[in-house]
Amino acid sequence: MAEVEIKLLNKVYSGNTRAVTDVNAHIRDGEFIVLVGPSGCGKSTILRMIAGLESISTGELFIDGRKVNGVEPGKRDIAMVFQNYALYPHMSVRRNMEYGLKNEGLPRDQIATRIAEAARTLQLEDYLDRKPRNLSGGQRQRVAMGRAIVRDPKVFLFDEPLSNLDAKLRTQLRSELKALHRRLAATFVYVTHDQVEAMSLADRIIIMNAGRVEQIGTPLDVYERPATRFVADFIGNPSMNLMTGIVAEDRARVVLTSGPTIALSTEVEAAPGTSVDLGIRPEHLRVSDTGGADLTLSVHMVEHLGADTIVHGHIGQDAGALSLRVDGVQDFREHTQVPLAIAPGHLHLFDTQTGQRLNCA
Amino acid sequence: MVENRPFLSFVTHVTLIVGVGFLCFPVWMALVASSHGPEALSHSPIPLWFGDQMWQNYSDLLFGGMPQVGGVPVGRMMLNSLWMALGITIGKISVSILAAFAIVYFRFPFRMMFFWMIFVTLMLPVEVRILPTFDVVAKLGMLNTRQGLIIPLMASATATFLFRQFFMTIPDELVEAARIDGAGPLRFFWDILLPLSRTNIAALFIILFIFGWNQYLWPLLITADESQYTVVMGIQRMVNSGEQLPVWHYIMGTAILAMIPPILVVVAMQKLFVKGLVESEK
């Protein structure tokens, strides 16, 4: 149980490739933090620096108040679960879980109690004497978690632990992980590229792009108030509609390059003429039945997902791409025009140059 | 392509049987010859079936001194060969597995240079460097000793290269998991790398044991003392016994005896050996 403090962390590989740039984060005691971002964004590098598997180029890292920059992984009081399990293939499940404890020099009877306890928690009691190759993927990942749990570490690190599993098992193990976190009340740092995993597991999400932190916040925070255009685009499926435009003279409207003018409910904090990206989530658009339409969607493709229907198309004739999400099964015909109204208060504005969020309603 | 034609399978079987006969006939001849007295082999026709001297011949060989090789029993020579073969095998495996461990898992200056230096020695067989090696061994005072037989043949680029290739297929995560589990380099080597290399070690053991057992030139050079003779040298001495007639029944018996230990090693390790060749799951 411990805090992790990351101060101005940088990772530069030989040949001057920057993997991580000036990352600051404060991970609270008992928090479930998810690092998420596209591949190559530096999220795994940060996790591996916390683990001590990767050296820190500049910056400081504290675990439970202790600076651990040069400390060996085995002495940081952490445990890690890898994507491809990394179980020792020649050892039985029991010996896999024992190995770290034996190296710590824990007495035999204590090792046995801890393993019995972890095996009960993870329903591995029947498999303790099997070799990893005789286990299914889900069981192997449970063993990997068991190996972490028995260590009773201050911080648990997970590197895309569910990526190698099929969708159904992933959902199941996801809820097991959440339950495990609640029971252990330990600090979890979890890396994934899957935003659904991030949204459903995290207390707070750290969204990364190109080695930098884009936003740190609760799942709803990043969904409802994305700090940058990247976050707006990355979180949410189907992703947010982003349309380029220019702030009008009165600063209360945006003229889209595709034609229509969108009224804002308050004035935007930007000079008239500023080029902006206007964002609206697909579920915050609705079919206008009164006739007064903010946008017109020409339908290209309809996806019926059962619980909801997603309509893809373009603004006007052939301008920007736009998608719309409506509840239940609804009928849309391809190559027709649909008038759309924007739900008030759900517009997002980003400065085109900096990508930063502009405040407005 | 698998075809089912009776004529073709007949031809292939005949070919195989001829091949097997061709391979086995000399061994059969040696076995038969070693069961006769000295006269039976010196005039034709050479017998094709066992004589009645087998027990006598083999007990002479193993325990009685052979005057042709200075009165040393073949049993003693086999023991010498066994020591040499085991020494070379175990020595080669331990040196090369440690060298490969260092090259794959540690970052030190000139690491790749060392690797290539080892690799280049692949092109230098014992015969090429035999005179300087002899000089070194002589100056170290190791002529006519077991160490002298074993140590110069111990360094092996082939085995180092083989272990290096194997270590590189072990996923990095395994090393990282061990580091997080608090295992230092030596513990990682002992607890994880060594057990995983088991099948490779077995395969190498077979190959190197036979290599060591069949060494001829090097023992011939550095042993002058009959008590250090190896069995392969012993056979040669018996054949070139100067003015006396070669004692063919003893020579054949020695050849048969010399074949037994390599066969035992192959049989004992065959299962692991095959597993090492086919297993790919990590």
Side-chain angles (χ1 to χ4, degrees), chain B:
Chain B
M1 201 166 70
V2 181
E3 285 187 65
N4 189 12
R5 285 196 210 151
F7 177 70
L8 266 183
S9 44
F10 174 76
V11 170
T12 46
H13 273 88
V14 168
T15 316
L16 278 174
I17 288 164
V18 168
V20 168
F22 201 70
L23 272 176
C24 291
F25 185 68
V27 179
W28 173 254
M29 281 305 292
L31 198 62
V32 167
S34 69
S35 67
H36 286 274
E39 309 79 29
L41 295 160
S42 48
H43 41 75
S44 59
I46 299 169
L48 286 173
W49 194 249
F50 293 107
D52 50 2
Q53 300 261 333
M54 189 173 251
W55 182 249
Q56 182 60 41
N57 286 351
Y58 280 99
S59 68
D60 282 357
L61 278 173
L62 283 174
F63 309 110
M66 293 281 103
Q68 290 82 358
V69 282
V72 184
V74 174
R76 170 75 205 226
M77 291 194 276
M78 290 194 50
L79 214 61
N80 287 340
S81 279
L82 188 72
W83 271 111
M84 182 178 72
L86 282 179
I88 291 174
T89 309
I90 293 168
K92 260 184 192 265
I93 289 177
S94 5
V95 168
S96 52
I97 201 170
L98 285 170
F101 178 53
I103 283 169
V104 176
Y105 288 105
F106 292 87
R107 240 173 272 143
F108 52 89
F110 308 115
R111 184 171 67 121
M112 283 321 279
M113 196 187 83
F114 280 115
F115 171 69
W116 286 111
M117 272 166 63
I118 295 172
F119 192 75
V120 160
T121 60
L122 264 179
M123 298 161 201
L124 286 178
V126 179
E127 290 74 14
V128 175
R129 57 177 171 90
I130 206 153
L131 285 176
T133 311
F134 182 86
D135 194 38
V136 170
V137 170
K139 281 185 177 145
L140 288 172
M142 291 200 295
L143 295 180
N144 272 322
T145 60
R146 252 178 214 147
Q147 305 90 283
L149 275 176
I150 293 168
I151 292 171
L153 297 178
M154 229 160 71
S156 166
T158 329
T160 309
F161 188 66
L162 204 116
F163 278 121
R164 171 186 181 260
Q165 295 309 98
F166 171 66
F167 289 168
M168 297 209 321
T169 66
I170 291 179
D172 287 344
E173 281 87 353
L174 220 55
V175 188
E176 291 169 352
R179 282 180 72 191
I180 286 175
D181 271 343
L186 282 181
R187 192 164 272 180
F188 168 72
F189 177 76
W190 191 255
D191 288 344
I192 290 157
L193 221 44
L194 213 55
L196 287 179
S197 317
R198 209 170 45 117
T199 50
N200 288 57
I201 291 174
L204 265 180
F205 192 96
I206 295 182
I207 295 165
L208 295 179
F209 184 87
I210 293 170
F211 164 85
W213 183 268
N214 288 340
Q215 276 305 312
Y216 172 66
L217 186 59
W218 181 249
L220 190 69
L221 267 184
I222 78 147
T223 53
D225 185 353
E226 286 87 356
S227 67
Q228 292 293 336
Y229 275 14
T230 63
V231 71
V232 180
M233 282 172 71
I235 296 174
Q236 191 267 350
R237 282 289 155 114
M238 286 187 210
V239 176
N240 299 332
S241 50
E243 54 270 19
Q244 293 156 300
L245 274 179
V247 277
W248 285 115
H249 60 301
Y250 284 149
I251 295 170
M252 292 302 171
T254 313
I256 294 289
L257 284 174
M259 272 192 303
I260 293 173
I263 290 175
L264 285 181
V265 167
V266 171
V267 169
M269 296 209 158
Q270 191 190 26
K271 241 185 174 169
L272 273 173
F273 179 68
V274 173
K275 228 170 129 192
L277 291 180
V278 297
E279 196 176 59
S280 60
E281 190 199 21
K282 294 268 139 51

Side-chain angles (χ1 to χ4, degrees), chain A residues 243-257 260-264 266-278 348-352 356 358-360:
Chain A
M243 299 161 274
T244 51
I246 285 168
V247 178
E249 277 304 316
D250 59 4
R251 305 202 320 202
R253 285 174 303 144
V254 172
V255 182
L256 297 182
T257 34
T261 303
I262 309 288
L264 309 172
T266 56
E267 287 184 5
V268 62
E269 292 169 353
T274 313
S275 135
V276 291
D277 288 320
L278 180 97
H348 307 269
L349 274 183
F350 305 97
D351 191 311
T352 305
Q356 295 297 311
L358 296 169
N359 281 322
C360 73

Side-chain angles (χ1 to χ4, degrees), chain A residues 161-177 190 193-194 197:
Chain A
L162 307 182
S163 302
N164 283 5
L165 305 173
D166 62 63
K168 200 171 171 196
L169 207 54
R170 212 180 299 166
T171 319
Q172 186 195 335
L173 275 177
R174 205 162 67 204
S175 52
E176 281 180 27
L177 254 174
Y190 188 105
H193 63 265
D194 180 351
E197 252 170 53

Side-chain angles (χ1 to χ4, degrees), chain A residues 256 260-263 285-286 288 291-296 315 339-343:
Chain A
L256 297 182
T261 303
I262 309 288
L285 288 169
R286 59 183 173 75
S288 160
D294 294 313
L295 293 164
T296 313
I315 305 168
L340 296 179
I342 291 169

